[in-house]
Amino acid sequence: FKQKTAYEIMPSLVGSEMCIRDRLYHENAFFKIERDKIFFNEWQWVGRSELVKNPGEFITGEITNSPILIIRDNANILRGFHNVCRHRASKILLDKKGNCKSLVCPYHGWRYGLNGKLQNSPHFFGAEDFNPDNFSLFPIKVSEEFGLVFVNINVDSESLANWLGPFTEMVNRVYKSNFVFHNEITFDVNANWKTYVDNYQEGYHIPLIHPQLNRDVVWQEYKLTNTDSTSIHSVPPKSGSHEPGSFGWHFPNIIFNAYGRGAVFQRIEPLKPKWCRVIYNLFRPSDVSEEDFEANEGQYQKEVSIEDQKIVPLVQQNLETGIYQAGPLSPKYESGLAYFHQLLMERIGTGE
């Protein structure tokens, strides 16, 4: 792949009702282009606000293998930085979460304030023109919504509120003020991140892959509204069901589901061209016990997740054989895939 991606890659979208080409699901070169043009420019949910509510509290993570850190400074400002020392590129914070009074690099001891400014470079004996003010940590954009922390590598990106668009209204219709964090579930899946998103973006597979969900919803009436980089999913429940009927996805990889009495935020993190990590954060009403929720909605979510994880790697395996190249999409049931692929190629082709 060359950087003239509009010419070289757009032909991979082989038809208005066809999937993108197989090679885009596993080639290293395309994975790097996605990193630069999509994941370094789109907002990404990386953690919960409750973990960074006090000065010195931090969380760390990665955006397509690029380490980041989020920390609340002494002025109570939530800040985000690349987790890289300006001296010799070591990671600074090694724990996933914690509390610190300053940011000290474990390699040579360079110390930064919680605001990212270099405070001390011990025993460095820098050249005459060395100016500590020129070696603050590289910033990233950070914002909060729904009790979650979002970051954007591109510091010139649009605001999170504008980016979320109709996704916010959809979440607010279901997400209640008395919701509390229940638990986090993480799975590493042998599949490209797009293979997993494709699976989410249609209900056509429900009757064969999700038997319990199929008993709860009328999958034949599954509908999607695709607009403003968001797909709003809806499916009517069958009589007597108290399970999900409201779902939503925001490009490229953020998902929100309503499950019974609670809600789930989900993200699909690209790890490698053929691997992704799926992370769920479940929330329950504060008046519902942990045991009650886990035995019902918690197990329901886990069951659906495991069912997806059985089929998605099988799809990924065949995307890598060279036998299958692209297949047709159902305008009725797979418009979400078509919309996802359209957004993907627009971002790749224009660099937005």
Side-chain angles (χ1 to χ4, degrees):
F1 293 99
K2 300 177 182 178
Q3 287 304 306
K4 293 181 180 180
T5 54
Y7 175 79
E8 297 224 334
I9 299 177
M10 284 300 284
S12 296
L13 192 61
V14 297
S16 60
E17 296 182 3
M18 297 286 285
C19 300
I20 55 176
R21 289 291 300 272
D22 55 320
R23 62 191 177 92
L24 303 189
Y25 289 90
H26 59 83
E27 290 193 350
N28 289 326
F30 191 71
F31 185 80
K32 292 177 181 177
I33 292 172
E34 289 178 325
R35 176 196 65 191
D36 295 342
K37 295 211 168 191
I38 295 176
F39 289 96
F40 282 6
N41 286 284
E42 303 285 343
W43 284 93
Q44 297 286 289
W45 160 48
V46 295
R48 300 188 308 281
S49 296
E50 65 182 7
L51 298 176
V52 285
K53 62 183 179 180
N54 299 311
E57 291 182 336
F58 68 83
I59 56 176
T60 63
E62 294 186 359
I63 305 297
T64 51
N65 303 313
S66 179
I68 60 164
L69 68 89
I70 297 91
I71 192 164
R72 192 167 295 278
D73 71 11
N74 291 321
N76 207 37
I77 298 172
L78 190 63
R79 297 183 180 273
F81 302 102
H82 289 274
N83 190 5
V84 54
C85 181
R86 293 295 307 276
H87 174 218
R88 295 269 300 285
S90 170
K91 275 188 180 181
I92 298 172
L93 294 178
L94 306 183
D95 295 330
K96 291 184 177 181
K97 61 181 181 178
N99 191 303
C100 61
K101 295 182 178 180
S102 59
L103 300 166
V104 180
C105 176
Y107 198 5
H108 299 96
W110 281 34
R111 186 176 75 242
Y112 303 84
L114 303 186
N115 60 3
K117 294 186 179 298
L118 180 61
Q119 294 179 332
N120 186 28
S121 50
H123 314 295
F124 181 60
F125 302 104
E128 288 186 8
D129 60 351
F130 173 72
N131 183 352
D133 292 339
N134 295 332
F135 293 93
S136 297
L137 296 179
F138 296 114
I140 62 175
K141 210 165 183 178
V142 61
S143 191
E144 298 175 271
E145 189 63 66
F146 318 125
L148 305 176
V149 178
F150 292 78
V151 301
N152 199 316
I153 299 293
N154 182 359
V155 295
D156 297 320
S157 62
E158 66 179 322
S159 69
L160 175 62
N162 288 341
W163 182 85
L164 284 169
F167 192 80
T168 299
E169 180 182 353
M170 184 269 301
V171 172
N172 287 339
R173 283 200 302 266
V174 178
Y175 193 83
K176 299 178 175 60
S177 59
N178 71 329
F179 276 5
V180 296
F181 175 67
H182 176 68
N183 70 349
E184 179 170 288
I185 307 172
T186 300
F187 299 100
D188 284 4
V189 183
N190 187 186
N192 183 273
W193 71 278
K194 296 187 296 300
T195 313
Y196 214 96
V197 173
D198 284 353
N199 178 74
Y200 182 84
Q201 280 289 84
E202 50 93 351
Y204 188 33
H205 69 278
I206 288 176
L208 294 180
I209 301 301
H210 302 302
Q212 180 58 57
L213 183 57
N214 188 44
R215 288 192 287 269
D216 285 324
V217 301
V218 185
W219 77 268
Q220 295 91 337
E221 298 181 28
Y222 204 105
K223 295 181 180 178
L224 290 99
T225 302
N226 304 305
T227 182
D228 296 326
S229 299
T230 299
S231 292
I232 306 299
H233 299 226
S234 62
V235 58
K238 290 182 179 177
S239 177
S241 171
H242 299 289
E243 292 304 334
S246 180
F247 320 89
W249 163 86
H250 193 298
F251 183 86
N253 62 335
I254 297 174
I255 291 166
F256 176 80
N257 297 325
Y259 273 91
R261 297 166 294 178
V264 182
F265 287 96
Q266 176 183 348
R267 66 181 183 269
I268 302 163
E269 296 184 348
L271 299 178
K272 300 176 182 179
K274 303 173 186 178
W275 281 91
C276 66
R277 177 167 294 150
V278 185
I279 300 174
Y280 302 85
N281 276 201
L282 281 68
F283 294 83
R284 71 177 192 276
S286 56
D287 59 353
V288 176
S289 72
E290 182 177 350
E291 294 78 12
D292 179 5
F293 190 81
E294 180 60 28
N296 293 281
E297 286 84 354
Q299 288 303 310
Y300 196 101
Q301 169 66 78
K302 192 176 297 183
E303 178 182 290
V304 172
S305 302
I306 291 173
E307 289 164 351
D308 283 331
Q309 288 165 49
K310 289 179 180 178
I311 190 65
V312 170
L314 301 181
V315 175
Q316 180 67 35
Q317 181 180 9
N318 274 328
L319 287 169
E320 298 170 21
T321 63
I323 304 301
Y324 171 99
Q325 293 184 339
L329 295 176
S330 164
K332 180 175 182 178
Y333 292 122
E334 295 173 309
S335 66
L337 267 79
Y339 187 56
F340 169 42
H341 296 171
Q342 174 191 333
L343 294 172
L344 176 83
M345 303 315 295
E346 285 176 354
R347 301 299 202 277
I348 294 297
T350 65
E352 293 179 354

